[in-house]
Amino acid sequence: MDQLRTLIVVWEAGTALGAARVLGREQSSVQKQLDTMNRNFRELCGEPLVLKQGRGKDVLFTGTGEALVELARGTLDEWLDGIQDSRRRLGKSLEVGTTRFTLGYLAGAGERVAEEFQRRGVELKVGHVRTRDVLGRLRAKEVDLVCGSVVTRPGRDEALADVDVMEWRRSGLSLLTNLPASRLPGPTVVASELRRLPLVVSTSGLMAGVLQAWFGSDFRSRVTVAAEIDTVNYGYELLRSGLIDGCMVVTTGVGQAAHDPRTAYARGLRVVDLVNDAGPPVEVLLGAFARRGERATYAADHPLNVLWNALVAESDGWRAEQRWPTPGMEPDPFAALSAYHPSES
């Protein structure tokens, strides 16, 4: 296994010296492994794995060498996946992903399980996930549980058939706008009107997913794009600046935050409810997700089930007390709008 890893790193670095630097070894150690593999494969296949090109030049991989590099990658990946599956099954480690907006839920649940996980030696790893990657990261087994938002259909959505869903809330959609009432009267507007309204559109993420569901993958050619943004922060600053006149699709929750009279950021902006008449009905579902049926294969005290139950308790407590998940992590009323990436709701 060590020789295979060395071979891969030599292929990536180009030379034994470069590989030695990556691996933190002496060049002679790397070169010895290469010489051993070359000798063995010359006997097995009639061809060495690498050929020296001269001082300071990258080694040349033969056809046998290139083939073995590909085989080595697959072999080591399968071993790592197998090790991770064993750690997951035995409850030695737990990989959790969260969007920025759902960090409060996870932090509260983490406090509930921290003492037990520490006592049992469970390694809890937490990583940031963009909303556009929530289900993809879960399905690729990069995380065991993920907290975030997805665009979904009301009721039972077949697109979520392969995941267990812990629903925290569902949200409709609104428009945040600086357009005068004479141009966009409100209090509602139908989605088909978005074709004629100047839109501030995120380059990817949740709201882009909504527009794609309504107008197709080429929605940018079907609506009027006044500006493209990478962060919603820039979007509302752009609207407030008056540099452009337009609208930005946001969740109802974000729209309500923007409309809160306590928020300075809301000055000059209006919220108009968005009524869908352009395509399939969609909602934004905020919650936690795990692979379908995986929790049922584990004992009740498996870390995945323990954390899942802690998230249920955290959500129930929040609903009962009408408080923000995890005291001390409360945003100001406009934080959901001022802090989230367009891929996060």
Side-chain angles (χ1 to χ4, degrees), residues 174-209:
S174 300
L175 282 182
L176 189 65
T177 184
N178 64 0
L179 294 175
S182 59
R183 188 172 178 186
L184 182 59
T188 64
V189 62
V190 292
S192 58
E193 287 293 294
L194 297 181
R195 297 178 185 272
R196 68 171 184 83
L197 294 172
L199 296 180
V200 175
V201 179
S202 60
T203 54
S204 64
L206 206 62
M207 295 304 104

Side-chain angles (χ1 to χ4, degrees), residues 24 37 41 53 92 98 128 131 141 148 165 198 220 271 286 314 325:
M37 287 186 284
F41 276 87
Q53 292 285 85
K92 294 300 183 182
T98 175
H128 180 221
T131 301
K141 293 189 175 182
V165 180
R220 285 177 176 78
V271 178
L286 178 72
E314 184 67 15

Side-chain angles (χ1 to χ4, degrees), residues 101 176 251-266 271 332-338:
F101 191 60
L176 189 65
T251 63
T252 300
V254 170
Q256 291 171 345
H259 199 57
D260 192 302
R262 294 171 292 171
T263 59
Y265 295 108
V271 178
D332 64 74
F334 208 65
L337 184 61
S338 64

Side-chain angles (χ1 to χ4, degrees), residues 92-127:
K92 294 300 183 182
S93 67
L94 197 63
E95 298 271 354
V96 181
T98 175
T99 62
R100 184 173 182 177
F101 191 60
T102 56
L103 184 58
Y105 288 94
L106 183 59
E111 289 184 3
R112 295 173 183 265
V113 303
E115 184 176 345
E116 178 179 350
F117 279 15
Q118 184 176 11
R119 174 175 51 81
R120 295 171 54 184
V122 177
E123 182 182 16
L124 177 62
K125 297 181 180 179
V126 179

Side-chain angles (χ1 to χ4, degrees), residues 26-291:
E26 295 293 331
Q27 180 182 357
S28 59
S29 172
V30 173
Q31 188 62 55
K32 183 178 180 180
Q33 286 187 313
L34 279 180
D35 291 342
T36 299
M37 287 186 284
N38 263 349
R39 183 173 61 255
N40 290 338
F41 276 87
R42 185 181 286 109
E43 294 175 359
L44 288 170
C45 304
E47 182 179 49
L49 300 181
V50 298
L51 300 172
K52 293 182 179 179
Q53 292 285 85
R55 188 177 181 84
K57 294 184 179 180
D58 288 357
V59 296
L60 175 65
F61 275 74
T62 65
T64 301
E66 293 282 355
L68 188 62
V69 167
E70 289 303 309
L71 182 61
R73 287 185 187 278
T75 299
L76 292 179
D77 284 346
E78 288 179 7
W79 270 80
L80 290 173
D81 289 344
I83 291 170
Q84 183 60 27
D85 285 344
S86 294
R87 288 176 60 84
R88 183 181 294 117
R89 176 175 54 82
L90 296 171
K92 294 300 183 182
S93 67
L94 197 63
E95 298 271 354
V96 181
T98 175
T99 62
R100 184 173 182 177
F101 191 60
T102 56
L103 184 58
Y105 288 94
L106 183 59
E111 289 184 3
R112 295 173 183 265
V113 303
E115 184 176 345
E116 178 179 350
F117 279 15
Q118 184 176 11
R119 174 175 51 81
R120 295 171 54 184
V122 177
E123 182 182 16
L124 177 62
K125 297 181 180 179
V126 179
H128 180 221
V129 175
R130 298 291 189 191
T131 301
R132 61 176 176 265
D133 300 324
V134 163
L135 296 183
R137 295 280 297 277
L138 184 67
R139 288 165 176 152
K141 293 189 175 182
E142 295 177 13
V143 294
D144 303 305
L145 182 150
V146 64
C147 305
S149 300
V150 298
V151 177
T152 186
R153 303 288 182 89
R156 181 177 176 83
D157 189 347
E158 290 303 317
L160 300 178
D162 62 337
V163 296
D164 288 335
V165 180
M166 181 194 307
E167 182 177 321
W168 293 333
R169 68 171 179 265
R170 290 177 181 256
S171 176
L173 299 162
S174 300
L175 282 182
L176 189 65
T177 184
N178 64 0
L179 294 175
S182 59
R183 188 172 178 186
L184 182 59
T188 64
V189 62
V190 292
S192 58
E193 287 293 294
L194 297 181
R195 297 178 185 272
R196 68 171 184 83
L197 294 172
L199 296 180
V200 175
V201 179
S202 60
T203 54
S204 64
L206 206 62
M207 295 304 104
V210 170
L211 294 175
Q212 184 171 333
W214 286 346
F215 301 108
S217 58
D218 59 342
F219 69 88
R220 285 177 176 78
S221 65
R222 298 173 181 268
V223 300
T224 303
V225 178
E228 290 204 1
I229 58 173
D230 288 325
T231 65
V232 76
N233 225 51
Y234 185 71
Y236 70 74
E237 290 290 352
L238 191 61
L239 291 175
R240 287 187 60 236
S241 73
L243 187 61
I244 65 166
D245 293 331
C247 313
M248 185 165 58
V249 180
V250 297
T251 63
T252 300
V254 170
Q256 291 171 345
H259 199 57
D260 192 302
R262 294 171 292 171
T263 59
Y265 295 108
R267 290 196 200 115
L269 300 181
R270 293 188 301 126
V271 178
V272 178
D273 289 335
L274 190 55
V275 179
N276 176 27
D277 70 337
V282 295
E283 296 175 331
V284 176
L285 189 159
L286 178 72
F289 307 88
R291 285 177 289 277

